[in-house]
Amino acid sequence: MTLVSGWGRFPVVDTDVLRPRSFAAVGEAVAGVTGAVARGNGRAYGDAAIGAARTIAMTGFDRIRSFDPATGRIRLEAGVLLSDLIDTFGPRGFLPFVVPGTRFVSIGGAIAADVHGKNHHCEGGFGRYVDAILLRTGQGETIEVSREQNSDAFFATIGGMGLTGVILEATMRLRPVETGWIRERVISASDLDAAMRALEASDAATYSVAWIDCAARGRDLGRALIYLGEHARTDELAEGADAFPAGKDPGLAVPIDLPSMTLNRYSIRAFNELYYRMGARRAGGSHVVSLYPYFFPLDSIAAWNRIYGRRGFLQHQCVLPEQGARAVLGDILDRVARRGDASFLAVLKKLGQGDGILSFPLPGYTLALDFPVKGDVLNFLDEIDRLVVAAGGRLYLAKDARQSRATFEAGYPALQRFNAIRRSLDPAGNIRSKLSQRLFDEVQP
């Protein structure tokens, strides 16, 4: 048994970890125990990629099977990392349509979580660009699923958190681009109303995201920096610039778990004040920046999750329907500001409709906040959950480590349909994660 956690380092649990080297060995790993789930690069924040009894590490399956430059279609194994895909095909003029906030996720994990990026409001999530999946089910079958073939299993697998089976391979589409640069425009918003107006007015932008100062209170509540982006053309680059900048390994690293006192209302307030002022100076004009800092700002710091200390942290990411979102967002941010120990990196984005049966997005606003695991944080997040549920929202399973079953069931009305499909693929219940034990599976007497 091995102690394993997600990126948030909470909870830490015992699980048997296997590293199969063939698809046949994956099948044996699933069949040999009740309670197995696949794990990619471990970037799910909570317990989604930890098996109830066995965790199947998939990063060894990292081969690209085929690529058609005429269509951008690629077939690849589930353990390929997004970073490798970008570094390999970016210089060839292709990038993924959708990327999350880190490039160090596996393709299988991106499909299982139906990850979203800064363009969900207009281009949807990762699963929208997946055409077919090779799936090893809990009952031992290896099946191809797509929109046309085994479509129920396909849409249950998109965003299904690995509970329909082990994703072995995927066929997906890449976006043709001229460069690996982003034309960025920064908007400074003095409060939450201004931030939401800026996001609403920027619906035509391909990429949009707001950094929220969650330490601001009073008339400054919700002040923000909005970052808009478009893929830059070759003629927009500085003379002599490479069309595709090289991705760099993290230049900095957090070598130790920082003391819990490091993040407090004073340090967070000081950081946010400096960050806001520096960003506001860049507001107004447009700048051409590399795709790496635009899409993946935290990837420049290795092991940044150690900033929150040895007990780890919790990310609370909710989505709220557009109608009524302003009042609930204001209430949440006010409570967070008064508490004083939330994240220095709080993110607000607009989302569209999700594609998978259990996909997180719905049309509205998503807010992501980080909290160190200390004090009464669990009770505090329960309070926030009640606001989200009352507004018709839900929490992102890929970030969750502690929501209640009642909160989950209230937020995902298609759960009954998903469970029926899951049972048809795995009647013996071989595929089970710590997350599914907590939220999906029948409660054992």
Side-chain angles (χ1 to χ4, degrees):
M1 301 293 285
T2 304
L3 289 174
V4 177
S5 71
W7 185 247
R9 305 174 73 198
F10 176 89
V12 180
V13 296
D14 275 329
T15 181
D16 181 23
V17 178
L18 295 186
R19 302 182 184 278
R21 295 301 178 190
S22 69
F23 288 166
V26 171
E28 293 170 3
V30 172
V33 67
T34 298
V37 79
R39 181 182 178 90
N41 203 36
R43 288 302 178 111
Y45 279 45
D47 52 4
I50 304 174
R54 174 174 292 171
T55 300
I56 305 170
M58 295 293 291
T59 50
F61 297 95
D62 58 357
R63 291 173 293 183
I64 294 170
R65 298 291 194 179
S66 64
F67 176 66
D68 182 358
T71 62
R73 280 170 61 95
I74 185 170
R75 187 173 181 94
L76 68 178
E77 292 179 340
V80 173
L81 297 186
L82 204 58
S83 57
D84 295 331
L85 194 62
I86 293 169
D87 293 346
T88 301
F89 288 92
R92 293 170 168 81
F94 292 91
L95 291 172
F97 273 92
V98 174
V99 295
T102 175
R103 68 189 190 275
F104 300 123
V105 298
S106 69
I107 296 301
I111 294 170
D114 192 18
V115 296
H116 56 274
K118 298 174 175 66
N119 56 337
H120 196 279
H121 64 287
C122 62
E123 294 188 322
F126 196 88
R128 186 167 297 183
Y129 304 95
V130 175
D131 293 333
I133 299 166
L134 188 66
L135 186 72
R136 180 76 180 202
T137 71
Q139 62 180 353
E141 293 183 299
T142 299
I143 60 174
E144 184 101 356
V145 301
S146 68
R147 289 172 176 81
E148 297 78 30
Q149 181 180 2
N150 298 312
S151 61
D152 278 354
F154 177 80
F155 287 108
T157 301
I158 301 293
M161 304 312 298
L163 298 177
T164 59
V166 178
I167 298 171
L168 302 175
E169 291 183 357
T171 302
M172 53 184 285
R173 287 160 280 145
L174 300 180
R175 179 202 302 271
V177 294
E178 289 187 32
T179 78
W181 298 82
I182 299 295
R183 187 173 68 256
E184 178 189 70
R185 183 162 67 94
V186 182
I187 300 172
S188 174
S190 59
D191 57 25
L192 180 59
D193 288 322
M196 295 180 73
R197 285 196 301 269
L199 288 172
E200 289 286 347
S202 304
D203 272 347
T206 302
Y207 301 105
S208 65
V209 63
W211 168 84
I212 298 286
D213 180 0
C214 60
R217 297 180 63 182
R219 66 181 184 180
D220 296 330
L221 182 73
R223 70 175 179 175
L225 299 169
I226 294 88
Y227 297 91
L228 309 179
E230 303 292 340
H231 290 280
R233 302 185 308 271
T234 305
D235 60 10
E236 295 177 296
L237 303 186
E239 185 176 353
D242 290 334
F244 285 88
K248 298 178 181 179
D249 292 331
L252 299 173
V254 181
I256 60 171
D257 298 332
L258 297 187
S260 59
M261 68 182 70
T262 305
L263 292 182
N264 56 61
R265 65 174 65 247
Y266 304 107
S267 62
I268 292 171
R269 187 176 299 161
F271 176 87
N272 285 9
E273 183 68 31
L274 177 63
Y275 190 88
Y276 180 78
R277 288 182 180 275
M278 291 177 62
R281 292 195 190 107
R282 301 178 59 221
S286 63
H287 319 267
V288 176
V289 299
S290 165
L291 70 90
Y292 294 97
Y294 183 80
F295 290 119
F296 317 117
L298 284 178
D299 282 352
S300 62
I301 305 173
W304 64 261
N305 55 351
R306 302 186 78 172
I307 291 172
Y308 291 93
R310 63 180 180 82
R311 297 179 64 185
F313 72 100
L314 297 160
Q315 182 166 112
H316 188 280
Q317 183 168 1
C318 67
V319 61
L320 300 165
E322 192 161 0
Q323 185 174 4
R326 165 60 183 86
V328 182
L329 287 170
D331 193 353
I332 292 173
L333 289 172
D334 181 62
R335 292 173 188 238
V336 169
R338 285 188 279 115
R339 181 178 174 85
D341 65 347
S343 172
F344 54 87
L345 188 70
V347 174
L348 180 69
K349 293 184 290 191
K350 287 193 70 179
L351 297 181
Q353 184 61 51
D355 292 293
I357 296 172
L358 283 191
S359 291
F360 165 69
L362 55 80
Y365 286 88
T366 180
L367 176 67
L369 299 162
D370 292 346
F371 298 87
V373 177
K374 64 180 183 180
D376 66 342
V377 66
L378 295 175
N379 292 332
F380 177 75
L381 293 179
D382 286 342
E383 293 177 16
I384 303 302
D385 288 355
R386 287 191 283 272
L387 299 177
V388 172
V389 169
R394 57 186 176 225
L395 305 187
Y396 190 16
L397 293 174
K399 303 291 183 69
D400 177 57
R402 36 64 51 195
Q403 73 172 299
S404 70
R405 189 175 290 238
T407 296
F408 168 61
E409 292 177 349
Y412 287 85
L415 178 59
Q416 186 174 356
R417 179 187 173 201
F418 175 85
N419 283 337
I421 297 169
R422 183 185 172 201
R423 284 193 297 270
S424 72
L425 297 169
D426 182 22
N430 288 333
I431 305 292
R432 293 176 183 265
S433 65
K434 289 296 183 181
L435 179 141
S436 79
Q437 279 189 323
R438 179 164 54 88
L439 299 178
F440 290 77
D441 301 338
E442 294 182 5
V443 178
Q444 299 299 315

